Amino acid sequence: MATKVYIVYYSMYGHVEKLAEEILKGAASVEGVEAKLWQVAETLQDDVLGKMGAPPKSEVPIISPNDLSEADGLLFGFPTRFGMMAAQFKAFFDSTGGLWRTQALAGKPAGIFYSTGSQGGGQETTALTAITQLVHHGMVFVPIGYSFGAGMFEMEQIKGGSPYGAGTYAGDGTRQPSELELQQAFHQGKYFAGIAKKLKGSTV
């Protein structure tokens, strides 16, 4: 039976979504892994999003809390808001109380990826503060560490991401994920899926 990896994200301007798409490719490249994209529901009204210049959402399906329990591994992606995950994603986690009560997600591997506005805007704190959500659900946090190799030490160009997970810088919104950032996202998907597959194999 295939190992199911769900990539669950919130993206207002598309930066996190681009990372999610590359993570999907990486996860799907692992034999025996079935990867799927999901997005969490928007909490802002359309008129507010319009004033913020947010583009229309993609056709990626909206996830419900109970869908999480079907996955063997979960990767969560979101932009930062003052060094923490965006409220839309926090609202989704707040709706998972039923899963927490039964510990339905306990033991499942989970990873994190993110987007920030600047180099000092939370590339590590956004992931660090998100780990509390995983801990209360009993999930097993899987960082990428320095497994991306030389790309982790790039100094000639701006690059998001950290040992916690793949990341990008949005700047004023016009900057898009660089090729190196996308490569790191692909790596995270592949690396994580391999671990999820091993963990599932050890429990059957």
Side-chain angles (χ1 to χ4, degrees):
M1 185 177 293
T3 299
K4 292 185 178 181
V5 172
Y6 286 177
I7 299 106
V8 186
Y9 69 92
Y10 172 75
S11 189
M12 179 174 283
Y13 296 106
H15 299 82
V16 173
E17 186 167 63
K18 281 190 170 64
L19 293 180
E21 290 168 351
E22 286 301 310
I23 287 173
L24 175 72
K25 294 176 187 176
S29 74
V30 177
E31 184 178 356
V33 170
E34 179 184 303
K36 183 175 182 179
L37 284 182
W38 297 86
Q39 59 181 328
V40 304
E42 180 59 76
T43 60
L44 297 176
Q45 299 297 319
D46 288 343
D47 60 331
V48 174
L49 291 169
K51 291 176 181 177
M52 297 175 73
K57 292 289 190 286
S58 68
E59 296 301 312
V60 171
I62 304 295
I63 196 167
S64 68
N66 288 336
D67 290 323
L68 295 177
S69 61
E70 300 172 358
D72 298 303
L74 295 155
L75 281 158
F76 301 113
F78 31 77
T80 189
R81 298 291 185 268
F82 302 112
M84 297 185 290
M85 68 174 65
Q88 289 87 341
F89 213 98
K90 182 60 168 63
F92 173 73
F93 265 125
D94 286 349
S95 71
T96 62
L99 298 176
W100 165 79
R101 192 174 301 110
T102 60
Q103 286 293 282
L105 304 182
K108 293 183 186 289
I112 294 168
F113 59 103
Y114 41 82
S115 171
T116 70
S118 65
Q119 290 176 288
Q123 286 283 312
E124 291 198 353
T125 60
T126 302
L128 186 61
T129 54
I131 291 173
T132 59
Q133 311 297 310
L134 312 184
V135 169
H136 282 262
H137 277 289
M139 288 185 275
V140 181
F141 178 51
V142 180
I144 61 172
Y146 284 82
S147 62
F148 186 48
M152 295 297 294
F153 300 93
E154 172 60 40
M155 297 293 286
E156 299 302 316
Q157 61 174 297
I158 294 175
K159 184 193 77 68
S162 74
Y164 291 93
T168 187
Y169 295 115
D172 62 1
T174 59
R175 182 186 186 273
Q176 295 299 312
S178 69
E179 184 59 32
L180 188 58
E181 289 170 338
L182 294 176
Q183 289 173 9
Q184 186 177 40
F186 181 94
H187 169 76
Q188 182 174 14
K190 184 176 181 179
Y191 178 78
F192 178 87
I195 291 177
K197 181 180 176 181
K198 288 179 182 177
L199 288 175
K200 182 177 183 180
S202 68
T203 59
V204 295

